[in-house]
């Protein structure tokens, strides 16, 4: 055990869950949203300018919306966590014996004998009573704790990166059959994202590819259909 490196636990995939979720969501949404928007306009127009304008507008609006949405939603989670911690502080001050018993019951349910559970609860209470209850009663730890700024930056940046890819296609590929170019490259981009996310998170690459390909095709196909059905020449 003494030969183990100090950062041994840092290798676990769960340590990446907060920023990985936000980054994958942002990049996936960036690719899919801007590509779908561009495909819808391309299906209704033979001109490049409207496609580029729609894609750029979708990119800027989407990145800002994604960052703001992540910040607001994760901040709400942070507010709930803070409220529960404040409540726990009051309970520890007013009913310490009841809180000790509650902590012991948690450990007992996890498999410890009653006497051992109580001993563990007492020792952890002596060390840092609030930290013990936050972690084991509320289920909040450094890995799962909400981080609004981190989530907002990761989502906004990832959306921008993902949205730039369809914009490049709209800028430089031939206008003829543009919707097919957008669809094809978007699927390639999504597959690459799925592979990177799966490898980073230690999950199945095959499942990630199937997931992004299927839902990407559905989203872009429906948007193209709307463009064909309602697209007067722009």
């Amino acid at each position: 055990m003494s030969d183990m490196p100090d950062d041994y636990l840092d290798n676990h995939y769960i340590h990446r869950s907060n920023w990985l979720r936000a980054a994958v969501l942002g990049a996936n949404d960036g690719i899919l949203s801007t590509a779908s928007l561009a495909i819808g306009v391309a299906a209704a127009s033979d001109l490049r300018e409207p496609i580029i304008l729609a894609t750029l507008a979708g990119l800027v609006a989407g990145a800002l919306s994604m960052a703001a949405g992540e910040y607001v939603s994760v901040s709400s989670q942070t507010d709930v966590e803070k409220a529960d911690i404040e409540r726990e502080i009051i309970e520890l001050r007013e009913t310490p014996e009841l809180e000790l018993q509650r902590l012991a019951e948690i450990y007992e349910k996890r498999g410890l004998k009653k006497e051992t559970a109580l001993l563990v609860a007492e020792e952890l209470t002596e060390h840092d009573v609030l930290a013990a209850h936050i972690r084991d009663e509320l289920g909040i730890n450094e890995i799962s704790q909400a981080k609004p700024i981190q989530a907002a930056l990761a989502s906004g940046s990832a959306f921008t990166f993902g949205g730039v890819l369809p914009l490049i296609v709209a800028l430089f590929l031939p206008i003829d059959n543009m919707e097919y170019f957008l669809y094809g490259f978007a699927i390639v981009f999504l597959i690459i994202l799925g592979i990177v996310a799966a490898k980073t998170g230690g999950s199945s690459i095959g499942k990630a590819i199937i997931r992004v390909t299927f839902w990407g095709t559905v989203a872009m196909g429906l948007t193209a259909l709307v463009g064909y059905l309602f697209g007067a020449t722009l």
Side-chain angles (χ1 to χ4, degrees):
M1 294 294 289
S2 60
D3 296 332
M4 285 186 177
D6 293 336
D7 62 348
Y8 170 71
L9 290 179
D10 291 339
N11 296 324
H12 285 278
Y13 295 117
I14 192 64
H15 288 259
R16 306 169 181 171
S17 60
N18 271 336
W19 65 263
L20 181 60
R21 180 198 63 82
V24 170
L25 175 63
N28 183 85
D29 200 18
I31 295 170
L32 200 52
S33 295
T34 54
S36 296
L37 183 59
I39 288 171
V41 177
S45 174
D46 295 327
L47 301 176
R48 188 183 300 273
E49 287 75 12
I51 302 172
I52 294 174
L53 180 60
T55 307
L56 185 59
L59 169 59
V60 174
L64 295 175
S65 176
M66 178 65 72
E70 277 289 327
Y71 182 82
V72 170
S73 63
V74 178
S75 293
S76 298
Q77 180 183 341
T78 302
D79 292 341
V80 172
E81 291 176 353
K82 288 180 178 179
D84 268 342
I85 291 173
E86 290 298 326
R87 178 180 176 181
E88 196 64 33
I89 291 173
I90 295 173
E91 291 176 347
L92 287 170
R93 183 172 61 246
E94 296 180 350
T95 56
E97 294 182 359
L98 179 60
E99 289 299 304
L100 176 64
Q101 186 61 39
R102 183 176 298 173
L103 195 62
E105 289 173 356
I106 292 172
Y107 299 139
E108 188 176 352
K109 289 179 180 178
R110 293 179 182 175
L112 295 181
K113 294 180 179 179
K114 188 171 184 177
E115 297 78 8
T116 306
L118 181 58
L119 178 61
V120 171
E122 288 173 345
E123 292 187 359
L124 287 176
T125 296
E126 290 175 2
H127 175 68
D128 191 335
V129 59
L130 182 59
H133 282 270
I134 290 174
R135 181 183 59 251
D136 294 319
E137 186 176 346
L138 302 182
I140 302 173
N141 54 51
E142 291 182 358
I143 298 174
S144 63
Q145 191 172 19
K147 299 178 178 65
I149 298 294
Q150 182 191 65
L153 290 175
S155 291
S157 301
F159 187 101
T160 301
F161 174 78
V164 164
L165 301 176
L167 178 61
I168 293 173
V169 175
L171 282 170
F172 297 109
L173 268 67
I175 191 64
D176 292 336
N177 298 317
M178 175 60 76
E179 58 267 40
Y180 299 108
F181 285 122
L182 286 164
Y183 168 75
F185 276 94
I187 289 297
V188 171
F189 298 147
L190 288 170
I191 289 174
I192 294 173
L193 174 64
I195 292 173
V196 172
K199 289 182 70 67
T200 305
S203 57
S204 170
I205 293 177
K207 288 182 180 179
I209 292 175
I210 293 172
R211 187 163 53 231
V212 299
T213 303
F214 174 76
W215 289 111
T217 298
V218 170
M220 289 183 286
L222 290 175
T223 309
L225 179 61
V226 171
Y228 279 118
L229 292 177
F230 301 101
T233 302
L234 298 179

